[in-house]
Amino acid sequence: MDRIGLRELRQHASELVRRAEEGEELLVTVAGRPAAVLGPATPTCWRTHAEIADVFAGPPDPAWDADRERVDQTLGGTPLR
């Protein structure tokens, strides 16, 4: 893991972010001490309905209506419509 100083990060931010986006991890230092790690973001993984349909399969919850009535019907003191 490459070490980069905060000054270098400010001066070459675009290049360093590109490197991180490509998978490289960079250790950012402040006054020579490790402060942060710059690395690739975890991508969002979207699923199709077909991939998660089993989660919603099965009979409906018979207590749903009663449970719903027990939920506070206000949001921040304002009644829900």
Side-chain angles (χ1 to χ4, degrees):
M1 181 180 320
D2 281 352
R3 295 171 68 102
I4 55 170
L6 186 57
R7 180 180 298 150
E8 183 181 354
L9 176 62
R10 280 185 287 207
Q11 291 174 344
H12 304 286
S14 295
E15 174 194 342
L16 295 169
V17 168
R18 261 192 298 281
R19 286 172 57 186
E21 187 177 33
E22 291 171 358
E24 190 173 346
E25 289 190 347
L26 305 161
L27 178 64
V28 180
T29 61
V30 176
R33 295 183 316 275
V37 175
L38 180 62
T42 305
T44 301
C45 186
W46 294 97
R47 305 269 188 235
T48 65
H49 180 267
E51 291 174 315
I52 63 167
D54 289 344
V55 173
F56 300 102
D61 180 357
W64 169 245
D65 289 330
D67 290 344
R68 185 176 49 194
E69 292 301 319
R70 294 175 61 196
V71 173
D72 183 1
Q73 295 298 309
T74 62
L75 179 62
T78 305
L80 298 175
R81 295 179 191 193

